Amino acid sequence: MTEMTYRQALNETLRAELTRDENVYLLGEEIGVFEGSYKITAGLLKEFGPKRVVDTPIAEEGFTGVAIGSAMLGLRPVVEIMTLNFSLIAIDQIVNHAAKMYGMFGGRVRVPMVIRTPGGGGQQLAATHSQNLEVWYAHIPGLKVVAPSTPADAKALLTAAIRDDDPVLFLENLGLYNTKGDVPDGEQVAEIGKAAVAREGTDLTVVSYSRGMVTALEVAEQFAAEGVSIEVIDLRSLRPLDRGTVCASVRKTSRAVVFEDDMLSYGIGAEISATIGEGAFDWLDAPVRRVAAAEVPLPYAKPLELAAMPDAAALTRVVRETLEASGYRK
Amino acid sequence: MADTRRPAGTRKTAKQGAESDAVLRGYYEQMVLVREFELRASEMYARAKIGGYCHLNLGEEATVVGLLAALRPTDYLFTTYRDHGYALTRGMEPGAVMAELFGKSTGVVGGRGGSMHMFDLERRMMGGYGIVGGQIPLATGAAFAIDYRSKAGKDADAVMCLMGDATTNIGAFHESLNLAGLWNLPIVYVVVNNRLGMGTPVEHASAEPDLYKRGSAYRIPGTRIDGDDPVAVRDAALAALEKARVDRRPSILETMSFRLKGHSVVDPARYRSKEDNEEAQANDPVPAFRNRLVKSGVLDEKAADAIHAAADKAVTEAVEFADASPDPSPSELFDAVYATAVANESRAYPGDRIVVAS
């Protein structure tokens, strides 16, 4: 076990997979000479050379498509799209090609590609640089979408994604790169499609993923001091979605709140809420609530940005409201 | 408006006698098979045996055959959705191609793709794509993989990427050509210029209607070819593929041909003038090549007729095979979604309750 940052876990995993399999290669803007816009790929060009760590022009649709085409011939590209916002430029290649080619061609060809990209706001980067669009990709059959919240999961899920023969969107978060955690040594391969109980509890379930997990766990800890036991579910995988783990938790606690960075309407939480409504209806003592971002192009000014983004205060308030609405007694 | 009927730089047809009779006869056989197959596909569509979209290579047969005569079995081919003729000439069984059009489980991709998505990994026919230009980054990526794994040389693999004239205006074209030019990728981009993108003439869509020039922004040279002469097409493609293999330099081939009918089987092409239609018919490459071979003694009329009869028979057998084949079963709906099995995959049919492990 080694303590390291989320960034380090990614960097080490890329290094390990590049070493293990000569078909693995990286491509993206500024990942080589610049060492990555967020320094995730630092040192890799120097170690593996320009054939394995490819700096691309600014051409997301072009280089994502190149990655897909190379994957059809058996290479295993790990594409870095600088932020999730810019994935929109490549969305035709991701959704109409990578996701569909295995199906459309009757299973005759595979697309073993990973797209790594950070979502999230809160750095005053304004509207086009702060989005959480993962729900768009979670909606698409043929894609897998994973969202590690810890350095340990960053390593294990990235390893799994690279070894998977399907196109995987690997969702990182600008707010997680510097977070620290214990990472098991040696080969770690997570199972895609499985959520985790990050914190056990009995009174209410908070469902979250990616950066939201930091807040969810903090809030759970605060409630523990009051004697309220909150179970926190880390989704880890948005597609496929582990409905079983979510519903099993709610059948235990009878209350659920989703905490998500994306916007409220038609978001990840909407799917969780519908899932719980169908899978755990008889166990619910209160409606499922969602704490999500305000539906506004995210402004630059700090007070406005803070007002728009979901935080611990909002989650705490909604947890209390849910406890109240359900007639919770300690 | 530029006169595009006699394009500048058109290669003259190859010298007579420069090819063996057997080779030329073979080209004619292939062209006729494509012609007969596509005419029958049109008929099958009218009989509702084929659904969805159905785009035909009628008028494009010389281009199809010439390009594929140049391509090695070990090269990779990416096409547009107008892919039936390319699938057949690449060696895919007419029965399996027709079955795919009929949506049968014996189709080349099990009925999951249809007309626009022919695919055969072993024959390196890498698809069949419905999104205009979607194939171009993919083909460029295949060339990237070749470059990643192997050295340049006469024996190296190459990629041929087909597209229509209108495709040269989409972003994916430009991003891909920039990458190919920048990274020295072994690829030939073929612009099949039949003068029309659906109903839009080339000069109403492209600021530079001399499409072979459109790689100049990426220092990718281009040549305009008479797409109605299979030998000229082949020779130009061979030269371009050699450049790709040996020099790892991309190039553009613009092949000029005419679309004999509408954009697809349901398009009556009312936007075309009588003169345009007459011109297309006058330039029909199949009777033209027949006349050429008969004139030069490669074929006599009887042999030519026999070729048509054989193609007709092969196509009839393809239809019979497709007719007799089973439909894929709805129980197999989720069989081709993920290559790697994954937990909690959603396999709900409409109206199913969500599956929740208890």
Side-chain angles (χ1 to χ4, degrees), chain A residues 21-25 27 51-52 54-75 89 92-93 96-97 99 101-111 140-144 163-167 191-195 239-244 247-248 251 271 274-276 278-279, chain B residues 76 78 100 105-114 116-121 126-150 159 170-173 175-176 178-180 182-183 185 335-346 351-358:
Chain A
D21 184 351
E22 63 185 2
N23 289 313
V24 174
Y25 75 99
L27 70 166
K51 192 174 108 151
R52 309 288 302 288
V54 180
D55 274 325
T56 66
I58 305 174
E60 279 80 358
E61 177 164 31
F63 68 70
T64 302
V66 160
I68 299 166
S70 74
M72 294 171 82
L73 269 61
L75 294 188
I89 299 162
D92 176 81
Q93 284 295 323
N96 282 331
H97 294 90
M101 279 153 50
Y102 182 76
M104 243 172 16
F105 294 139
R108 268 74 164 164
V109 71
R110 301 176 168 211
V111 182
I140 305 301
L143 291 182
K144 292 170 178 166
R163 298 180 190 193
D164 198 289
D165 277 355
D166 294 305
E191 202 182 340
I192 294 175
K194 291 279 181 75
R239 181 168 199 96
L241 181 66
D242 185 350
R243 296 189 163 97
C247 289
R251 287 175 183 179
E271 178 58 44
T275 292
I276 295 170
E278 193 175 328
Chain B
Y76 296 88
F78 289 77
E100 186 59 37
S105 63
T106 54
V108 297
V109 289
R112 290 190 187 258
M116 298 193 287
H117 304 110
M118 298 295 164
F119 185 92
D120 186 322
L121 188 63
M126 305 302 281
Y129 292 88
I131 301 291
V132 170
Q135 72 278 17
I136 308 177
L138 302 176
T140 308
F144 179 93
I146 292 169
D147 184 57
Y148 185 97
R149 283 182 166 146
S150 67
V159 179
I170 205 163
F173 171 85
E175 292 195 21
S176 302
N178 183 57
L179 291 171
L182 186 67
W183 288 345
L185 298 182
D335 285 4
V337 180
Y338 292 119
T340 303
V342 65
N344 293 310
E345 191 189 335
S346 172
D352 280 356
R353 296 180 187 285
I354 59 168
V355 176
V356 174
S358 44

Side-chain angles (χ1 to χ4, degrees), chain B residues 33 37 40 94-95 98 308-320:
Chain B
L33 178 63
F37 186 98
R40 193 71 59 88
M98 191 65 79
H308 277 268
D312 187 87
K313 181 162 175 283
V315 171
T316 299
E317 284 167 4
V319 170
E320 285 166 359

Side-chain angles (χ1 to χ4, degrees), chain A residues 2-313:
Chain A
T2 309
E3 198 196 46
M4 66 178 75
T5 63
Y6 192 101
R7 172 185 288 104
Q8 284 170 315
L10 293 172
N11 185 274
E12 288 194 11
T13 304
L14 292 173
R15 177 175 285 103
E17 291 299 286
L18 282 164
T19 304
R20 181 189 63 86
D21 184 351
E22 63 185 2
N23 289 313
V24 174
Y25 75 99
L26 313 184
L27 70 166
E29 295 163 13
E30 311 296 343
I31 63 167
V33 170
F34 196 89
E35 299 201 284
S37 186
Y38 302 104
K39 304 299 179 231
I40 307 305
T41 53
L44 296 178
L45 172 64
K46 193 152 167 230
E47 185 171 343
F48 294 95
K51 192 174 108 151
R52 309 288 302 288
V53 180
V54 180
D55 274 325
T56 66
I58 305 174
E60 279 80 358
E61 177 164 31
F63 68 70
T64 302
V66 160
I68 299 166
S70 74
M72 294 171 82
L73 269 61
L75 294 188
R76 305 189 80 88
V78 183
V79 182
E80 178 175 305
I81 294 186
M82 201 181 278
T83 78
L84 185 57
N85 306 280
F86 313 151
S87 71
L88 299 186
I89 299 162
I91 201 164
D92 176 81
Q93 284 295 323
I94 299 169
V95 171
N96 282 331
H97 294 90
K100 293 181 171 52
M101 279 153 50
Y102 182 76
M104 243 172 16
F105 294 139
R108 268 74 164 164
V109 71
R110 301 176 168 211
V111 182
M113 172 185 74
V114 176
I115 295 176
R116 295 181 34 247
T117 184
Q123 292 82 26
Q124 293 188 266
L125 301 179
T128 66
H129 279 53
S130 305
Q131 295 171 99
N132 300 278
L133 299 169
E134 55 273 10
V135 68
W136 291 20
Y137 298 106
H139 192 56
I140 305 301
L143 291 182
K144 292 170 178 166
V145 180
V146 298
S149 69
T150 62
D153 264 352
K155 171 176 175 177
L157 280 169
L158 183 56
T159 306
I162 291 172
R163 298 180 190 193
D164 198 289
D165 277 355
D166 294 305
V168 182
L169 187 88
F170 185 88
L171 182 73
E172 300 167 3
N173 192 290
L174 299 178
L176 285 176
Y177 284 147
N178 293 326
T179 60
K180 281 198 179 147
D182 283 332
V183 177
D185 301 324
E187 194 181 80
Q188 300 293 321
V189 190
E191 202 182 340
I192 294 175
K194 291 279 181 75
V197 180
R199 182 190 174 109
E200 283 195 18
T202 54
D203 298 336
L204 182 145
T205 299
V206 172
V207 182
S208 193
Y209 66 96
S210 192
R211 202 210 9 205
M213 283 298 300
V214 176
T215 305
L217 288 169
E218 272 169 18
V219 168
E221 184 65 22
Q222 278 157 18
F223 272 100
E226 301 175 19
V228 177
S229 166
I230 293 183
E231 179 149 291
V232 181
I233 304 296
D234 183 353
L235 290 175
R236 297 167 78 243
S237 179
L238 301 179
R239 181 168 199 96
L241 181 66
D242 185 350
R243 296 189 163 97
T245 297
V246 171
C247 289
S249 175
V250 178
R251 287 175 183 179
K252 192 170 65 161
T253 65
S254 76
R255 301 170 188 90
V257 176
V258 183
F259 186 73
E260 53 187 319
D261 272 344
D262 62 340
M263 291 173 293
L264 181 75
S265 300
Y266 304 97
I268 294 286
E271 178 58 44
I272 302 300
S273 182
T275 292
I276 295 170
E278 193 175 328
F281 179 80
D282 289 330
W283 287 260
L284 279 174
D285 286 343
V288 178
R289 294 286 303 276
R290 296 167 289 156
V291 181
E295 289 167 66
V296 57
L298 196 67
Y300 159 74
K302 200 64 191 173
L304 293 181
E305 188 182 67
L306 286 171
M309 290 180 62
D311 59 9

Side-chain angles (χ1 to χ4, degrees), chain B residues 44-208:
Chain B
M44 291 299 113
Y45 192 94
R47 290 186 192 207
K49 296 228 181 132
I50 300 174
Y53 288 145
C54 194
H55 308 87
L56 305 177
N57 292 126
L58 300 173
E60 195 174 321
E61 293 87 349
T63 299
V64 174
V65 169
L67 290 173
L68 291 185
L71 207 64
R72 293 180 188 165
T74 43
D75 292 330
Y76 296 88
L77 176 67
F78 289 77
T79 73
T80 68
Y81 46 73
R82 201 177 293 282
D83 57 351
H84 310 164
Y86 295 96
L88 292 171
T89 310
R90 193 61 170 158
M92 292 161 73
E93 290 295 326
V97 177
M98 191 65 79
E100 186 59 37
L101 294 176
F102 284 24
K104 300 300 183 88
S105 63
T106 54
V108 297
V109 289
R112 290 190 187 258
S115 169
M116 298 193 287
H117 304 110
M118 298 295 164
F119 185 92
D120 186 322
L121 188 63
E122 208 188 301
R123 292 186 171 92
R124 302 193 172 180
M125 168 30 179
M126 305 302 281
Y129 292 88
I131 301 291
V132 170
Q135 72 278 17
I136 308 177
L138 302 176
T140 308
F144 179 93
I146 292 169
D147 184 57
Y148 185 97
R149 283 182 166 146
S150 67
K151 291 202 176 358
K154 285 190 174 299
D155 291 333
D157 297 338
V159 179
M160 180 180 284
C161 179
L162 269 55
M163 69 190 79
D165 40 271
T167 316
T168 58
N169 302 313
I170 205 163
F173 171 85
H174 297 279
E175 292 195 21
S176 302
L177 265 67
N178 183 57
L179 291 171
L182 186 67
W183 288 345
N184 297 308
L185 298 182
I187 183 165
V188 178
Y189 297 104
V190 181
V191 179
V192 179
N193 187 349
N194 60 18
R195 279 88 169 172
L196 288 169
M198 289 185 75
T200 306
V202 170
E203 54 279 0
H204 289 181
S206 298
E208 171 57 89

